[in-house]
Amino acid sequence: MAQNLFISIILLKIWPSCTLFFKSDPLKIDEASGQYMYDEKGQAYLDCINNVCHVGHCHPTVVEAGCKQMHKLNTNSRFLHDNLVMLAQRLVETMPPSLCMVYFVNSGSEANDLALRLARHHTKGSEIITLERAYHGHVLSLIDLSTYKLNHITDGMHTKPDFVHIAECPDTYRGKYRDTDYPMKQLADLYVGSVNDIIGKIHAADKQVSCFIAESMQSCGGQILYPEGYLSKVFKSVRAAGAVNIADEVQVGFGRVGTHMWSFDAQGCLPDIVTIGKPMGNGHPIAAVVTTREIAASFSACGIEYFNTYGGNPVSCAIGLAVLDVIKNDKLMENALKVGKVMDAKLNELKSSHQLVGDVRGVGMFWGLDLVKDRTSREPATDEAAYVVKRAKENHVLLSRDGPHDNVIKFKAPMCFSVENAETLVEKLDLIFTEIAEGKMPQHSECKVANGKTYRRGAAPEWPKDLSLVLTQEKQTKVEKKNTRFN
Ligand code: PMP
């Protein structure tokens, strides 16, 4: 440790259930810009996972818009304000015409919770259909239907309520119906069948469906792209059952797919309610629900006032407007398309040279690599995926892994990620996959087995009980960012 560096380690008992990225050797990030993050020594990391800082970390246009508005006014939305109206207008312009009513909230969870309320009041139904592996938020109403979380609760305190029905995840690589067993054309129908069966059972029990909720592409579930036609066929069945469709675009919206602003649109689908968040404020907490006039009217008619102190405040809306400007002015959707094509070609090259890569799937700035121990059995290569993420970080590339077996390497970079960045990423992956093929990966197992189940998050034994933060009292003289070599 350098002599001029005096580090005091203060253990703070905050947020004990939070999982840090790179938990065995967490990063303390001090600054960020574009697609790079810098630790406290000024070392650069290529950020391949930050879909929150959508238009690039600390984008000057966004920062300036927020600062300017903070100097002028911030208050709640019981006053008229141009920013509120302008942002609602700009968002609606990006949506199909029927989706024209906007509610501003502060997080994806709030947006989805409100969406469920809208659906319930409009349909008078009680039953909710969700997908296996879904994640829709951290509040109680959403943990209820987020199988991604429910499946890992080990103390039995929170179980799936009876009004929640789980449909098969339409994962054609690893799901119930696979591309090896059925022609691609049949797969959508088979998975739609799972939703239809649920609707049939709900009706047989003399109950009414309220909604189907799904991400337009499943992110936490392992970067899943649905088989062609799946979403529109499900939406049709759900509507025929008198229920509404909620498209969660919290992770996959705002042009990430490149061809369209919204991922549901890229699949030719028309939801009744859309929830948006994360990228909307480029790191600032703002989110929204967009719905039809009819659904909004049903909610107003229920008699409960909807007030949200911070939702739609002038500062958040100024930031939201700036994000939309940057997406357009910096041609970020075009960039997502261009980089997406390079990713497609390069990742598939990796697949041809490494048996470890079982499946490459994605579009635009949304990609997943399903790592396998064996291509025929498709046994998930969970330890290998952990090793890839660790070694990538040591090579200053930030990646994460997800899916029910934690074996899917996730890519969801800020939209300013360049073709050169994509090439660097693939070069690093190539080296790491080669290390694994040459047996250089140390043998270990990160998956713990409890109650006969493999689980991946929670209080795994090797994790610290408390979230520990390292605070430096006297910072090391920072290496000038410009001189920092990204290696
Ligand atoms: N929906 C999806 C698909 C998400 O990924 C998340 C957050 N990861 C949420 C909703 C909840 O958003 P927030 O954390 O902003 O409440």
Side-chain angles (χ1 to χ4, degrees):
M1 195 181 294
Q3 268 192 337
N4 66 347
L5 181 69
F6 173 64
I7 297 181
S8 83
I9 298 170
I10 303 168
L11 297 180
L12 294 177
K13 296 201 171 195
I14 55 168
W15 227 334
S17 300
C18 176
T19 311
L20 289 172
F21 279 135
F22 318 108
K23 59 184 185 288
S24 56
D25 182 22
L27 272 177
K28 187 172 178 208
I29 295 295
D30 202 36
E31 284 186 45
S33 170
Q35 62 275 49
Y36 300 101
M37 300 182 95
Y38 302 93
D39 69 12
E40 57 181 339
K41 293 180 187 130
Q43 177 62 62
Y45 290 85
L46 178 61
D47 183 359
C48 303
I49 51 179
N50 223 310
N51 59 352
V52 177
C53 297
H54 188 66
V55 299
H57 291 275
C58 307
H59 194 290
T61 307
V62 179
V63 173
E64 199 193 328
C67 290
K68 251 172 115 177
Q69 187 56 48
M70 277 178 88
H71 276 292
K72 226 173 152 191
L73 167 78
N74 202 17
T75 181
N76 66 40
S77 43
R78 286 198 197 271
F79 297 95
L80 298 176
H81 197 279
D82 287 349
N83 289 359
L84 183 77
V85 181
M86 285 190 304
L87 182 57
Q89 182 61 34
R90 292 275 300 277
L91 285 172
V92 160
E93 280 165 12
T94 68
M95 298 266 170
S98 60
L99 295 167
C100 59
M101 305 300 274
V102 183
Y103 301 81
F104 287 112
V105 295
N106 310 290
S107 68
S109 299
E110 279 187 28
N112 281 328
D113 183 71
L114 177 58
L116 296 180
R117 288 177 65 189
L118 295 180
R120 207 163 273 177
H121 284 288
H122 187 67
T123 61
K124 310 289 180 238
S126 55
E127 308 302 291
I128 298 172
I129 306 175
T130 184
L131 286 183
E132 177 60 27
R133 308 187 203 168
Y135 179 66
H136 294 293
H138 58 76
V139 299
L140 207 53
S141 64
L142 299 164
I143 293 297
D144 275 352
L145 46 90
S146 293
T147 39
Y148 180 79
K149 295 282 176 187
L150 272 181
N151 288 351
H152 303 292
I153 293 169
T154 48
D155 67 358
M157 287 302 289
H158 197 117
T159 51
K160 180 186 80 59
D162 291 342
F163 62 80
V164 172
H165 305 265
I166 301 169
E168 294 290 343
C169 172
D171 172 358
T172 57
Y173 185 73
R174 200 171 273 298
K176 182 172 178 188
Y177 309 111
R178 296 183 176 192
D179 52 2
T180 38
D181 302 330
Y182 300 93
M184 269 316 237
K185 277 191 179 153
Q186 259 185 42
L187 285 167
D189 289 336
L190 286 165
Y191 282 113
V192 175
S194 160
V195 175
N196 289 339
D197 288 349
I198 290 172
I199 293 173
K201 283 182 190 146
I202 292 171
H203 287 171
D206 215 13
K207 290 186 175 156
Q208 165 67 36
V209 190
S210 158
C211 63
F212 168 78
I213 179 167
E215 286 187 89
S216 309
M217 298 188 295
Q218 213 182 36
S219 47
C220 299
Q223 306 291 90
I224 307 298
L225 272 65
Y226 308 141
E228 205 183 322
Y230 168 80
L231 215 49
S232 42
K233 286 181 178 174
V234 169
F235 281 12
K236 205 170 155 199
S237 294
V238 168
R239 241 174 236 137
V244 297
N245 294 292
I246 302 172
D248 180 335
E249 293 264 338
V250 168
Q251 287 221 29
V252 298
F254 284 92
R256 184 155 291 278
V257 290
T259 50
H260 296 73
M261 185 71 163
W262 307 109
S263 175
F264 67 77
D265 231 353
Q267 295 169 62
C269 301
L270 178 61
D272 307 289
I273 304 175
V274 180
T275 56
I276 56 183
K278 281 185 194 285
M280 190 173 172
N282 211 44
H284 178 89
I286 178 170
V289 180
V290 187
T291 190
T292 63
R293 216 172 270 288
E294 296 73 26
I295 292 175
S298 301
F299 191 52
S300 298
C302 84
I304 304 174
E305 182 206 23
Y306 185 76
F307 175 65
N308 187 319
T309 301
Y310 301 113
N313 70 74
V315 171
S316 297
C317 290
I319 289 173
L321 282 164
V323 168
L324 291 177
D325 286 343
V326 176
I327 292 174
K328 190 167 168 227
N329 297 340
D330 290 7
K331 299 191 170 34
L332 293 180
M333 286 171 65
E334 290 88 329
N335 189 52
L337 261 187
K338 188 170 69 183
V339 174
K341 280 188 186 139
V342 174
M343 291 286 285
D344 192 7
K346 297 255 167 210
L347 293 178
N348 276 299
E349 272 171 33
L350 273 185
K351 185 180 165 188
S352 10
S353 41
H354 295 280
Q355 288 295 310
L356 180 64
V357 183
D359 193 31
V360 172
R361 47 188 183 247
V363 61
M365 290 281 188
F366 181 88
W367 290 88
L369 290 178
D370 197 314
L371 303 189
V372 293
K373 288 188 190 293
D374 176 275
R375 281 198 179 167
T376 311
S377 69
R378 298 187 177 178
E379 184 188 343
T382 303
D383 289 347
E384 287 79 354
Y387 181 74
V388 170
V389 171
K390 176 176 170 287
R391 288 289 291 130
K393 185 205 149 206
E394 285 163 6
N395 281 274
H396 301 277
V397 172
L398 304 182
L399 283 168
S400 66
R401 63 193 172 115
D402 222 323
H405 309 283
D406 249 351
N407 69 316
V408 179
I409 302 295
K410 278 178 100 168
F411 171 87
K412 48 189 179 103
M415 297 275 284
C416 52
F417 200 86
S418 68
V419 167
E420 292 73 36
N421 294 149
E423 286 165 354
T424 305
L425 165 67
V426 172
E427 272 166 33
K428 303 283 183 196
L429 286 175
D430 193 18
L431 289 174
I432 300 167
F433 292 169
T434 305
E435 282 176 16
I436 294 173
E438 291 172 352
K440 290 183 185 153
M441 185 186 102
Q443 293 306 304
H444 67 286
S445 174
E446 285 227 343
C447 264
K448 307 291 168 195
V449 175
N451 308 331
K453 283 182 186 167
T454 305
Y455 70 99
R456 37 179 292 286
R457 296 200 194 279
E462 83 273 28
W463 296 3
K465 284 250 161 22
D466 301 317
L467 171 64
S468 308
L469 285 187
V470 180
L471 299 183
T472 53
Q473 279 190 342
E474 197 183 305
K475 270 192 186 169
Q476 185 184 18
T477 314
K478 254 197 216 155
V479 183
E480 257 299 302
K481 299 284 180 298
K482 285 188 198 104
N483 297 337
T484 304
R485 260 192 56 236
F486 171 72
N487 56 9

